[in-house]
């Protein structure tokens, strides 16, 4: 069952990453303006936030399996509509609903992982989920770009839709429910307030926001930096793959034992500071070999942060409110994804230093996490 869940997480995130190299060209092909094309890219993350919050409530009320099924099935249906779009605005609304479905799916998957993982090995379990996302992040853009280059872009969406229908069947057939609430209440934002005030959930959410700010900045600014160095886009791909491969090595080798032996919060703070330092150096270093080394260091920082912050959320919540906890967490995740490239673009426009804003964000969040940890110490975390 855990192996099937691993596959489901890969497929869920593959949906996002496989569209990275093709969604803007597809929007332009349908006649969208640059502004509308940018909105088509951003609307997925914005509605993802809405799906995260409402999904968090439904996951705790109706159960993990039911919401996994619902999110996966509706995402599969929505993917079929991508090839049918005839205009940029039709694509915009397809992305709108796609984001809602995805927003329900991801928190349900991680709430399920939190439910079935044992406390003593939860860090390693979260490391494996990080590996699943890493595999999707490395394979997705390559598959999407290759399929689009060799055939029509529409086939990419059909391919992912098929994967989602297969995953829907796997969930239905092999995944057992881990929790269903006996209390039936209406959705209310007030039910999220205790979790928002929980220092550990707040720390994990801030870390998620900062991590996605850094990733968004990297996606926007690294190609520009590589171009300024007189290198090709192939170099950008190699640099991005390098940090992903390093993170996978940490996730999948015995190194992942550190997630059960070292404080999750300590790993998050260390990783955040490492990434912030890398962004500072990326503003000033122009030597290719040094930049590749920085990507290795970035991969280590990313590997420290991702499983650790997911483990924090799992341990700060119980089965009663774990769906809502992950809903909050992934809403911050989505917010960071929206803000990252926008903020770095604005910084590049005004200061000519696209990595400056992300470096400041990472360092500031690191200091805030230390402050919260000292003000609200939690034993064993």
């Amino acid at each position: 069952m855990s192996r099937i869940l691993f596959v489901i997480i890969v497929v869920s995130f593959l949906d996002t990453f496989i569209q990275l190299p093709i969604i803007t060209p597809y929007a332009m092909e349908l006649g969208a303006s640059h502004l509308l094309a940018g909105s088509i890219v951003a609307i997925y993350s914005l509605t993802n936030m809405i799906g995260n919050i409402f999904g968090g409530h439904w996951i705790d009320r109706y159960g993990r399996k039911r919401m996994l099924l619902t999110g996966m099935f509706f995402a599969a249906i929505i993917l079929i509509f991508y090839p049918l779009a005839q205009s940029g605005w039709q694509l915009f609304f397809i992305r709108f609903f796609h984001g809602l479905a995805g927003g329900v799916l991801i928190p349900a998957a991680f709430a399920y992982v939190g439910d079935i993982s044992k406390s003593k090995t939860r860090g390693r379990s979260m490391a494996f989920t990080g590996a699943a996302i890493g595999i999707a992040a490395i394979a997705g853009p390559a598959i999407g770009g290759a399929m689009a280059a060799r055939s029509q872009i529409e086939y990419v969406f059909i391919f992912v839709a098929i994967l989602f229908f297969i995953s829907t069947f796997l969930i239905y057939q092999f995944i057992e429910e881990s929790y269903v609430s006996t209390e039936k209440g209406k959705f209310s934002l007030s039910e999220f307030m205790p979790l928002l005030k929980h220092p550990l959930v707040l720390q994990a959410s801030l870390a998620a926001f900062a991590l996605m700010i850094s990733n968004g900045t990297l996606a926007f600014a690294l190609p520009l930096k590589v171009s300024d160095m007189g290198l090709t886009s192939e170099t950008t791909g190699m640099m991005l793959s390098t940090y992903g491969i390093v993170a996978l090595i940490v996730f999948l080798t015995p190194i992942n034992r550190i997630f059960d032996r070292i404080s999750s919060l300590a790993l998050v703070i260390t990783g955040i500071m490492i990434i912030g330092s890398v962004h500072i150096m990326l503003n000033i270093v122009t030597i290719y070999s040094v930049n590749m080394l920085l990507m290795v260091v970035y991969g280590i920082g990313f590997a420290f942060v991702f499983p650790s912050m997911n483990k924090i959320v799992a341990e700060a919540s119980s089965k009663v409110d774990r769906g809502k906890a992950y809903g909050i967490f992934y809403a911050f995740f989505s917010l960071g994804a929206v803000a990252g490239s926008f903020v770095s673009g604005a910084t590049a426009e005004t200061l000519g230093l696209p990595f400056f804003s992300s470096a400041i964000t990472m360092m500031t969040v690191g200091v805030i996490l230390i402050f919260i940890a000292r003000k609200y110490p939690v034993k064993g975390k």
Side-chain angles (χ1 to χ4, degrees):
M1 188 166 63
S2 59
R3 291 177 181 176
I4 292 171
L5 193 63
F6 182 90
V7 171
I8 288 166
I9 293 173
V10 171
V11 171
S12 299
F13 279 90
L14 188 70
D15 175 38
T16 300
F17 289 113
I18 204 169
Q19 293 188 33
L20 287 178
I22 65 169
I23 194 65
T24 301
Y26 187 49
M28 302 295 287
E29 187 180 297
L30 293 175
S33 65
H34 285 86
L35 178 60
L36 181 56
S39 300
I40 288 168
V41 173
I43 194 62
Y44 178 89
S45 294
L46 288 171
T47 56
N48 222 241
M49 293 174 59
I50 300 172
N52 292 151
I53 297 301
F54 280 92
H57 168 81
W58 295 331
I59 292 161
D60 287 335
R61 179 173 178 180
Y62 297 112
R64 302 5 174 175
K65 177 176 180 176
R66 186 178 296 183
M67 298 317 298
L68 270 172
L69 268 174
T70 303
M72 190 69 76
F73 178 74
F74 277 103
I77 295 295
I78 292 164
L79 280 161
I80 295 173
F81 283 90
Y82 275 87
L84 303 178
Q86 299 295 313
S87 68
W89 279 109
Q90 288 181 10
L91 184 61
F92 177 88
F93 286 109
I94 292 168
R95 294 275 290 175
F96 179 96
F97 290 108
H98 191 186
L100 290 175
V104 174
L105 179 60
I106 301 302
F110 277 87
Y112 194 93
V113 174
D115 287 348
I116 66 172
S117 57
K118 297 178 181 179
S119 180
K120 291 183 179 180
T121 58
R122 185 168 281 151
R124 292 186 70 193
S125 297
M126 292 303 175
F128 286 128
T129 64
I133 297 170
I135 290 169
I138 293 170
I143 294 171
M147 288 186 67
R150 296 180 182 181
S151 56
Q152 294 179 316
I153 291 178
E154 289 86 346
Y155 291 141
V156 177
F157 304 113
I158 296 171
F159 169 71
V160 180
I162 292 170
L163 290 180
F164 267 61
F165 280 120
I166 293 171
S167 298
T168 301
F169 171 77
L170 292 175
I171 294 168
Y172 177 79
Q173 191 70 24
F174 298 107
I175 297 296
E176 297 176 3
E177 184 57 75
S178 63
Y179 173 77
V180 179
S181 175
T182 56
E183 299 179 7
K184 306 300 181 184
K186 293 182 178 180
F187 175 85
S188 172
L189 287 175
S190 61
E191 65 183 322
F192 289 85
M193 294 311 296
L195 288 166
L196 277 170
K197 294 177 181 178
H198 194 299
L200 288 174
V201 175
L202 180 60
Q203 286 168 315
S205 299
L206 288 173
F209 174 76
L211 189 65
M212 291 311 293
I213 285 278
S214 76
N215 276 19
T217 300
L218 211 60
F220 169 79
L222 194 61
L224 299 179
K225 180 178 181 62
V226 168
S227 178
D228 289 341
M229 291 166 59
L231 302 172
T232 65
S233 57
E234 184 180 0
T235 304
T236 305
M238 288 176 59
M239 293 176 73
L240 290 173
S241 295
T242 297
Y243 103 75
I245 291 168
V246 170
L248 278 178
I249 291 171
V250 176
F251 292 151
L252 293 176
T253 64
I255 299 171
N256 62 25
R257 292 171 184 167
I258 65 172
F259 300 112
D260 291 316
R261 295 177 179 176
I262 300 177
S263 161
S264 298
L265 188 56
L267 287 172
V268 167
I269 293 171
T270 301
I272 290 287
M273 291 301 191
I274 287 173
I275 293 172
S277 300
V278 169
H279 278 255
I280 291 172
M281 295 300 295
L282 284 171
N283 275 312
I284 56 178
V285 173
T286 57
I287 302 171
Y288 169 71
S289 59
V290 178
N291 277 285
M292 287 297 289
L293 179 61
L294 287 174
M295 287 298 99
V296 172
V297 177
Y298 186 101
I300 294 170
F302 181 90
F304 282 1
V305 175
F306 188 87
S308 301
M309 63 186 184
N310 274 284
K311 181 184 175 184
I312 288 173
V313 177
E315 296 192 338
S317 57
S318 65
K319 286 190 175 183
V320 175
D321 59 7
R322 188 162 287 141
K324 290 185 282 291
Y326 274 107
I328 293 169
F329 174 75
Y330 276 100
F332 275 85
F333 210 82
S334 300
L335 181 62
V338 174
S341 55
F342 173 78
V343 173
S344 60
T347 309
E349 189 75 23
T350 54
L351 301 177
L353 299 170
F355 293 101
F356 181 75
S357 59
S358 55
I360 293 298
T361 300
M362 301 301 287
M363 294 299 186
T364 302
V365 169
V367 171
I368 292 172
L369 295 182
I370 294 171
F371 172 78
I372 295 174
R374 289 182 175 178
K375 188 171 183 179
Y376 305 100
V378 181
K379 187 178 179 181
K381 305 297 191 232

